Amino acid sequence: MTATGRTTEAQPAAIESAGFVTLLARPDGDALAAAGVLARALAARETPYQVSLGERSERATRVATDDDAVTVALGPLADKGDSTDDGTDVGDDPDVRILDPEAGSLTGQAVALVDELDADTEGADDRDGTATAGPDPALALAGTIAAGHAEADAEAVATVVEIAREAGRLDRQPGVAIPTTDPVDGLAHSTLVRAAWSGDEAAVAEAIGDTEGRQLASIVAIDAVGHEQATERAATTIDRFVRPDGTPDGPLATAGGLADVLTATAHTSPAAAIALAIGHGGTDAALDAWRTHGEAVHAAIDTADAERHDGVYVLRLDEETPDLARTDAIESVAGLVAATSTPEPLVCVVGDDRLGLATTDESVVPHAEAIAGAHGLPWDAGHRTATVHLDDDTEATSETDERATDTDVDAIVETARGRP
């Protein structure tokens, strides 16, 4: 039994023969990319589908109930005993398939699921009468990067990426993994890298001048690893940002840039996020959301109060922090700190009414589940980032709008430290 209630193997939902498929994704870049991979595969088979982004409590109420419908949940759906609107126990529903973030990137699992569908429908044709083309390689790679990996963490994705590189659909190139062709714009708003100039276009322009290619990548790597807040993690994770895969046929410049935009829009602009993931445009709206998201995340880290505990690195967000970073984008704050600035394996970011969690190398699910369980709080988790929602007893009531009380957060930190 996993945190999702059932393993993928225990849920033989008949997706290949479904009359309709509901894709329920948690709001993060990995889950969004996974939904996009599955949506495109369903479209190629002319299977009607719907993609929905939402918090865990919302996803549980959106399970399809029609006789010929199947639901695929990309992330935890419900605890054992939770029911859909018609009273069916979600964990016992044979027409619900739950991909578990504790098992690896959701995108990797989605690509493997598409491989299963291809095997079950060998010779299937798309609307033009040609064989189905398989998962989009840029989207598949973007999802695994969004999940916190520099390269594919699943064999199915690694195969797709290798074939795409050989065919020129992914073009490994010198430079940095940004979504635009403007390095100043890309570096200022990226949440895949952190340096002294992050969040400030003027500072980026001064730092990089007119450099490009390998020289640009070298400057960025030096600034990121040499940043005053950087830890050894920054030297490891910079690999996901330099020498990126360009996407000649994609909506954005690089796969890493696509990962960053998917993460940003999943948290802040669901309509643009879904449109981008399923290949229905929305690029301009997605980039606007990405810029706003990047500015908020870097501003939050710039002003946060940091505390180091044994096993847990805590950031308490300043009252001047943008609202977005204290709420919907709090997992992005935690994720960026985990990738660049933490000396501990678990990051805990204290926001207005929630905590953002992120891990450096392992699944965050056991941490989120343990913290939430010990304190009776609702939670939701992806592969390496999670949110624990604080209840009314832990929210501040003073007129100065203080964050969660020190006592409550200290208790949660102690719970996190108590994990092996």
Side-chain angles (χ1 to χ4, degrees):
M1 183 73 68
T2 69
T4 57
R6 296 170 69 89
T7 64
T8 299
E9 290 77 12
Q11 298 172 24
I15 300 171
E16 68 278 1
S17 59
F20 188 86
V21 177
T22 296
L23 302 172
L24 302 177
R26 76 177 307 268
D28 71 37
D30 176 27
L32 177 58
V37 165
L38 292 173
R40 295 182 190 206
L42 292 169
R45 290 160 175 76
E46 299 187 335
T47 300
Y49 67 88
Q50 181 180 43
V51 178
S52 177
L53 282 176
E55 299 291 343
R56 186 179 180 188
S57 59
E58 299 171 330
R59 299 196 299 272
T61 67
R62 296 176 183 174
V63 173
T65 56
D66 293 344
D67 291 341
D68 65 342
V70 166
T71 296
V72 180
L74 304 151
L77 188 59
D79 290 319
K80 186 174 178 61
D82 286 351
S83 301
T84 61
D85 288 341
D86 68 351
T88 302
D89 188 305
V90 173
D92 292 335
D93 192 336
D95 292 325
V96 177
R97 183 159 184 167
I98 305 175
L99 304 189
D100 184 356
E102 194 170 2
S105 73
L106 296 170
T107 305
Q109 296 176 61
V111 172
L113 181 53
V114 171
D115 285 348
E116 290 180 23
L117 296 179
D118 287 341
D120 289 336
T121 56
E122 185 175 356
D125 293 340
D126 65 18
R127 296 173 188 174
D128 296 324
T130 57
T132 54
D136 177 86
L139 186 61
L141 181 56
T144 56
I145 293 172
H149 300 277
E151 284 282 355
D153 70 319
E155 182 178 353
V157 177
T159 299
V160 168
V161 169
E162 181 181 359
I163 292 172
R165 285 173 177 165
E166 292 176 353
R169 295 183 65 194
L170 289 176
D171 178 23
R172 203 75 184 267
Q173 58 192 27
V176 291
I178 56 177
T180 68
T181 56
D182 179 357
V184 172
D185 179 30
L187 290 171
H189 300 107
S190 175
T191 58
L192 292 179
V193 68
R194 175 130 174 98
W197 33 254
S198 292
D200 185 338
E201 290 193 34
V204 173
E206 181 177 356
I208 68 172
D210 59 357
T211 59
E212 57 185 22
R214 289 185 178 83
Q215 187 177 4
L216 173 62
S218 295
I219 291 174
V220 170
I222 291 170
D223 287 354
V225 174
H227 185 229
E228 63 179 3
Q229 296 177 345
T231 62
E232 293 180 1
R233 291 289 303 162
T236 301
T237 59
I238 194 65
D239 287 346
R240 69 180 180 172
F241 196 67
V242 297
R243 199 165 176 253
D245 281 277
T247 56
D249 301 323
L252 301 174
T254 66
L258 177 58
D260 200 21
V261 174
L262 289 173
T263 296
T265 54
H267 290 310
T268 64
S269 185
I274 293 171
L276 183 63
I278 66 177
H280 285 187
T283 303
D284 290 342
L287 286 173
D288 287 342
W290 163 74
R291 293 184 180 98
T292 301
H293 170 269
E295 290 171 1
V297 169
H298 288 293
I301 300 174
D302 285 340
T303 58
D305 292 326
E307 305 168 2
R308 182 177 181 180
H309 302 266
D310 181 19
V312 187
Y313 192 57
V314 179
L315 270 72
R316 301 175 191 263
L317 299 184
D318 186 88
E319 62 181 8
E320 299 300 322
T321 297
D323 290 344
L324 181 63
R326 299 200 307 263
T327 55
D328 292 339
I330 197 167
E331 285 188 20
S332 294
V333 178
L336 181 55
V337 172
T340 62
S341 313
T342 180
E344 302 295 342
L346 177 66
V347 174
C348 177
V349 180
V350 185
D352 283 357
D353 59 353
R354 68 198 72 190
L355 305 175
L357 303 176
T359 51
T360 56
D361 293 304
E362 62 181 1
S363 169
V364 76
V365 173
H367 296 280
E369 190 174 28
I371 291 170
H375 299 276
L377 302 173
W379 63 280
D380 192 13
H383 181 44
R384 287 188 179 168
T385 59
T387 297
V388 175
H389 292 274
L390 303 175
D391 61 17
D392 291 339
D393 291 336
T394 57
E395 290 180 2
T397 57
S398 70
E399 295 180 358
T400 56
D401 188 30
E402 294 291 337
R403 303 295 171 259
T405 66
D406 289 344
T407 301
D408 295 320
V409 174
D410 286 347
I412 289 172
V413 169
E414 287 304 308
T415 300
R417 290 178 63 190
R419 287 199 50 76

